[in-house]
Amino acid sequence: MALFAFLTGLSLFIVFKVFIRAFYTVKPNERAVLTSFGRAQRVGEQLFEDGSLNEDERERYRYPLLRTVGPGGPYFKWPWQEVHKVDIATQSIDITWDPTKRQNTIVAVTKDNLTTGVDGQIRYRVSPNNLYAYCFGVDSPLEHVMGYFISVLRERVANFVDPKGQSLVEGTGLDEASGSAAAELSEGVSINDLRKNLPLLNDYMEQQCRSTSARYGIELDAALITQIDPPPAVDRALSAINSTRNQ
């Protein structure tokens, strides 16, 4: 009796494992990668190539091209195979997103040492051509992309100069005639320069983050920095300065 129960249970397990769970489907917004005993199926010896990386980075980020399963099904897999499904639809996320802590804004320091808060969103999607980097390259690719994005953003905020102010100084000879006037035009108040040039800042962020596809398997679709705010006391002082200059 015990032997019959054991054989019955084993038969049901085999039917469930081999036949019922052997079939899977892939949604229109998904791509799937099959692994056999933990190894992903590759496209020969081909590697993912991206022109945005320099020579040193190309040596570090050498990811193979994988065979992907497109939308449809049902598809069949063996019990020793595992399916990794990835959503490739474009998504948006706030730049303050961080799985390790809660924050309401990104703190950055401007060229004139003013601590300010930066808010906005980024649109991204998983690169279907570099699924190895996304699935197996790092543990949390989106977290890595956000960290890379924030570091580039802070570096840009800290060194930003209004290009229109620079052209005025270089084109009119004010840099030789009047030192104080030239300094005011070329540097000004960096928070105001950043606010006036948000599209330029967003374009710069998109250009600098093009390599995220080769690094982490995530393509940056758009950077939308929408708000740059200093502390309230500093903001009131800046408003007073602007009003005085206008008068």
Side-chain angles (χ1 to χ4, degrees):
M1 192 68 181
L3 180 60
F4 176 76
F6 172 76
L7 293 176
T8 302
L10 181 61
S11 301
L12 292 175
F13 174 78
I14 293 175
V15 169
F16 176 75
K17 190 72 174 178
V18 177
F19 295 101
I20 298 180
R21 294 194 60 187
F23 296 95
Y24 65 96
T25 59
V26 180
K27 297 179 181 178
N29 61 316
E30 292 179 337
R31 296 296 182 270
V33 175
L34 273 180
T35 58
S36 299
F37 298 107
R39 178 180 171 82
Q41 298 179 354
R42 290 161 167 75
V43 181
E45 298 297 327
Q46 299 183 44
L47 298 176
F48 177 79
E49 297 182 359
D50 190 285
S52 62
L53 299 179
N54 57 39
E55 301 229 346
D56 179 53
E57 290 174 329
R58 287 196 193 101
E59 292 298 322
R60 293 170 54 195
Y61 301 103
R62 293 173 56 86
Y63 295 128
L65 290 179
L66 301 183
R67 296 186 184 277
T68 59
V69 182
Y75 300 106
F76 176 82
K77 71 176 183 66
W78 295 105
W80 56 82
Q81 293 181 317
E82 186 176 355
V83 181
H84 300 264
K85 298 181 182 180
V86 177
D87 188 352
I88 63 169
T90 300
Q91 305 177 55
S92 62
I93 190 171
D94 198 283
I95 64 172
T96 58
W97 178 84
D98 191 329
T100 63
K101 61 182 178 181
R102 296 185 60 184
Q103 54 185 357
N104 297 322
T105 188
I106 298 298
V107 178
V109 179
T110 63
K111 185 179 177 67
D112 49 7
N113 294 323
L114 176 64
T115 299
T116 185
V118 182
D119 295 312
Q121 291 184 332
I122 62 173
R123 289 203 303 266
Y124 71 95
R125 59 177 174 269
V126 177
S127 172
N129 298 322
N130 195 16
L131 290 180
Y132 188 96
Y134 183 81
C135 295
F136 312 108
V138 293
D139 290 337
S140 180
L142 183 57
E143 185 177 353
H144 280 74
V145 168
M146 294 302 295
Y148 179 75
F149 182 87
I150 297 305
S151 65
V152 173
L153 175 64
R154 284 174 170 157
E155 186 273 339
R156 183 56 174 166
V157 169
N159 297 283
F160 187 84
V161 176
D162 187 359
K164 295 181 180 179
Q166 282 289 89
S167 62
L168 286 174
V169 173
E170 295 171 358
T172 58
L174 288 176
D175 50 341
E176 299 177 357
S178 174
S180 60
E184 182 179 356
L185 278 175
S186 63
E187 294 183 5
V189 181
S190 56
I191 183 66
N192 291 336
D193 294 342
L194 286 165
R195 284 171 168 172
K196 290 186 297 183
N197 293 278
L198 281 181
L200 186 63
L201 178 62
N202 288 328
D203 290 342
Y204 176 84
M205 295 303 301
E206 291 179 21
Q207 294 175 4
Q208 293 299 310
C209 293
R210 286 176 181 172
S211 63
T212 57
S213 175
R215 291 168 178 260
Y216 312 114
I218 294 180
E219 299 176 356
L220 184 66
D221 184 63
L224 303 172
I225 307 301
T226 58
Q227 195 170 358
I228 298 179
D229 290 323
V234 177
D235 199 14
R236 289 193 294 269
L238 290 175
S239 299
I241 291 173
N242 292 333
S243 298
T244 302
R245 285 182 176 178
N246 292 334
Q247 292 175 3

